[in-house]
Amino acid sequence: MMLAGPIVPTILSLAAPNVLNVAMQSLVSISDSWFIAQLGIVDLAALALVFPTQMALGQMSAGAMGGGVSSSVARALGSGNRAAAEAAAAHALVIALAMACLFAIAFVGFGRPIYGALGGSGHALDAAEAFATVLFVGCFAHWIANTLASVLRGTGDMKTPGFALVATAAVQIPLTGTLTLGWFGVPALGIRGPAASAVICFTLATLWMASRLIGAKSAIRLHWPRDGFRWRSFNDILKVGLIACLVVILTNGTVLLVTALIGRAGDAAIAGYGIGSRLEYMLVPISFGIGATLTTLVGTNIGARQYARAQRLAWIGAFMAGGIAAAIGVVVAIWPDLWLGLFTTNAGALASGRTYLSIVGPAYGFFGLAMALYFASQGTGEMVWPVVANLSRITIAVCGSLFALDVMGWGTRGLFAFVAAGIVSFSAVLAFSTTRRAWRA
């Protein structure tokens, strides 16, 4: 099916569990904001401060390093080398543990100065630090669960990780409300509630997926490598995963720097931009629903040396993801309160969010297309062009924003216009990349 099946039905059938998964994860993200909004505008601002690093955790473990894992497994299986695929799975878990340690050190040990640099202060900064401590001390659950999911996706099994993460997400939403607000007599953890709920549910997902990789009927089996751990297997994952992590850093760096600039206008402006940009962040998992499928399909076909089919798969999938993102962008640009009103009634926050969505929303279609091509690029094993694309985006967004604010005095409208221009540039460079050598030979 992956090597010879009709393209659109193949993408749709493999992407369906992923799309269902990301829909549930989006509901989790929305519910987190809603529960925290019940605590007040300052706690909502604290969530906005942590949100970029929280999303970086998911993007790196599932989409970036996870993409490297799926790509390695898929290319090995596409070339008929099951032993290499099983070695990739074992090496992937070692990488996951190392990355979880790095995240815990960075965002627990240095969380307060990081969130303070983004404009957090007083209770907002205290709350951001409390949320981050729980989330990142327990981030081993996220890394291992998403790594196991990536191994399964690399084999073409989209159903097991999709259903495991959907089921645990369905548990996570009411559990978050219980832990955050103290339902059913449970002690209220406040802003720590969503973080604790996430750690618990990703642990459950880890156990579910691990059981599918140790059985006799597994497409590949998880075991200690027969030849021990070797650099070649690490490198096959890291040559995609590390560069993809750099892409995530650049993507989140754009939002972090824009957040810092918006911070000049106070907590309400940060909260409004945080709610608005949260929708942009949610386009990443929406694109991932199709993109994770493209990583596996492109990797399998590249491994089988079917380059023309790999390119067709990438572009058809990209147009599908771009169409969904464009529809969302147009709706929120015209009716921004459909989204903003879910989280706040604060006038300042609403004004900031409306401005953001009316200007950046129309560019969401380009963002969806670019993200799908980014995931497809992981399947080729070549990640130079995604880095170039993100560098173009961050340069236009940040330098343009500074020009709009400090030179021209255009205010936040000018800032958001350059954010949108950066997204268009991101899409254009990735589209050009599909004409390069990695896609042809």
Side-chain angles (χ1 to χ4, degrees), residues 176-263:
T176 297
T178 300
L179 296 178
T180 303
L181 303 177
W183 293 347
F184 312 115
V186 174
L189 299 180
I191 198 168
R192 295 177 179 86
S197 177
V199 171
I200 292 169
C201 291
F202 272 93
T203 300
L204 295 175
T206 295
L207 297 174
W208 186 333
M209 288 183 286
S211 69
R212 296 298 194 275
L213 284 168
I214 59 177
K217 295 183 179 180
S218 302
I220 62 173
R221 296 189 67 186
L222 191 62
H223 58 79
W224 192 271
R226 292 187 176 89
D227 298 325
F229 290 96
R230 296 178 177 271
W231 171 246
R232 182 173 63 182
S233 295
F234 282 123
N235 182 61
D236 196 56
I237 296 170
L238 294 175
K239 71 179 183 180
V240 174
L242 279 182
I243 298 178
C245 285
L246 176 60
V247 170
V248 172
I249 292 171
L250 293 174
T251 300
N252 285 281
T254 303
V255 176
L256 290 172
L257 290 171
V258 172
T259 299
L261 293 173
I262 290 291

Side-chain angles (χ1 to χ4, degrees), residues 2-3 7 10-11 14 70-72 74-76 78-79 153-154 158 290-318 372-382 434 438-440:
M2 291 192 290
L3 292 173
I7 289 179
T10 298
I11 292 175
L14 292 178
S70 292
S71 175
S72 182
R75 283 182 281 110
S79 64
R153 291 187 185 109
M158 304 293 172
I290 294 174
T293 298
L294 296 181
T295 300
T296 299
L297 287 170
V298 169
T300 302
N301 281 272
I302 290 292
R305 304 185 67 81
Q306 296 186 168
Y307 299 105
R309 178 175 171 82
Q311 191 176 58
R312 289 197 301 273
L313 285 160
W315 270 106
I316 291 173
L373 290 178
Y374 157 71
F375 286 117
S377 295
Q378 292 180 329
T380 69
E382 175 58 64
T434 62
W439 290 90
R440 293 184 285 111

Side-chain angles (χ1 to χ4, degrees), residues 2 26 32 86 93 241 290 308 406 436:
M2 291 192 290
S26 297
D32 284 356
E86 292 183 338
L93 283 179
I290 294 174
D406 297 337
R436 301 297 86 201

Side-chain angles (χ1 to χ4, degrees), residues 64-401:
M65 196 64 72
V69 173
S70 292
S71 175
S72 182
V73 172
R75 283 182 281 110
L77 291 177
S79 64
N81 192 341
R82 175 172 171 159
E86 292 183 338
H91 286 70
L93 283 179
V94 175
I95 293 171
L97 292 173
M99 291 298 292
C101 288
L102 287 176
F103 266 71
I105 292 169
F107 298 117
V108 176
F110 303 95
R112 190 172 186 87
I114 290 172
Y115 302 126
L118 295 177
S121 61
H123 177 68
L125 181 56
D126 293 338
E129 184 182 22
F131 179 90
T133 298
V134 175
L135 180 69
F136 292 110
V137 166
C139 73
F140 292 87
H142 292 71
W143 271 101
I144 296 173
N146 284 326
T147 297
L148 293 177
S150 298
V151 170
L152 288 164
R153 291 187 185 109
T155 69
D157 179 3
M158 304 293 172
K159 291 182 179 180
T160 297
F163 293 159
L165 293 169
V166 165
T168 51
V171 173
Q172 187 175 344
I173 293 174
L175 181 60
T176 297
T178 300
L179 296 178
T180 303
L181 303 177
W183 293 347
F184 312 115
V186 174
L189 299 180
I191 198 168
R192 295 177 179 86
S197 177
V199 171
I200 292 169
C201 291
F202 272 93
T203 300
L204 295 175
T206 295
L207 297 174
W208 186 333
M209 288 183 286
S211 69
R212 296 298 194 275
L213 284 168
I214 59 177
K217 295 183 179 180
S218 302
I220 62 173
R221 296 189 67 186
L222 191 62
H223 58 79
W224 192 271
R226 292 187 176 89
D227 298 325
F229 290 96
R230 296 178 177 271
W231 171 246
R232 182 173 63 182
S233 295
F234 282 123
N235 182 61
D236 196 56
I237 296 170
L238 294 175
K239 71 179 183 180
V240 174
L242 279 182
I243 298 178
C245 285
L246 176 60
V247 170
V248 172
I249 292 171
L250 293 174
T251 300
N252 285 281
T254 303
V255 176
L256 290 172
L257 290 171
V258 172
T259 299
L261 293 173
I262 290 291
R264 299 177 184 180
D267 285 348
I270 292 177
Y273 170 68
I275 295 170
S277 63
R278 178 175 286 260
L279 183 57
E280 178 184 328
Y281 269 112
M282 289 175 62
L283 293 179
V284 176
I286 289 172
S287 300
F288 177 75
I290 294 174
T293 298
L294 296 181
T295 300
T296 299
L297 287 170
V298 169
T300 302
N301 281 272
I302 290 292
R305 304 185 67 81
Q306 296 186 168
Y307 299 105
R309 178 175 171 82
Q311 191 176 58
R312 289 197 301 273
L313 285 160
W315 270 106
I316 291 173
F319 280 122
M320 292 165 68
I324 295 169
I328 294 171
V330 169
V331 169
V332 297
I334 299 173
W335 300 288
D337 285 9
L338 289 176
W339 174 254
L340 301 172
L342 294 174
F343 309 106
T344 185
T345 57
N346 180 275
L350 286 172
S352 176
R354 287 166 183 158
T355 302
Y356 169 83
L357 290 175
S358 65
I359 296 173
V360 182
Y364 279 175
F366 293 99
F367 186 78
L369 184 142
M371 290 306 303
L373 290 178
Y374 157 71
F375 286 117
S377 295
Q378 292 180 329
T380 69
E382 175 58 64
M383 293 295 291
V384 172
W385 282 101
V387 174
V388 173
N390 271 273
L391 285 173
S392 72
R393 180 190 179 190
I394 196 170
T395 299
I396 292 172
V398 175
C399 293
S401 295

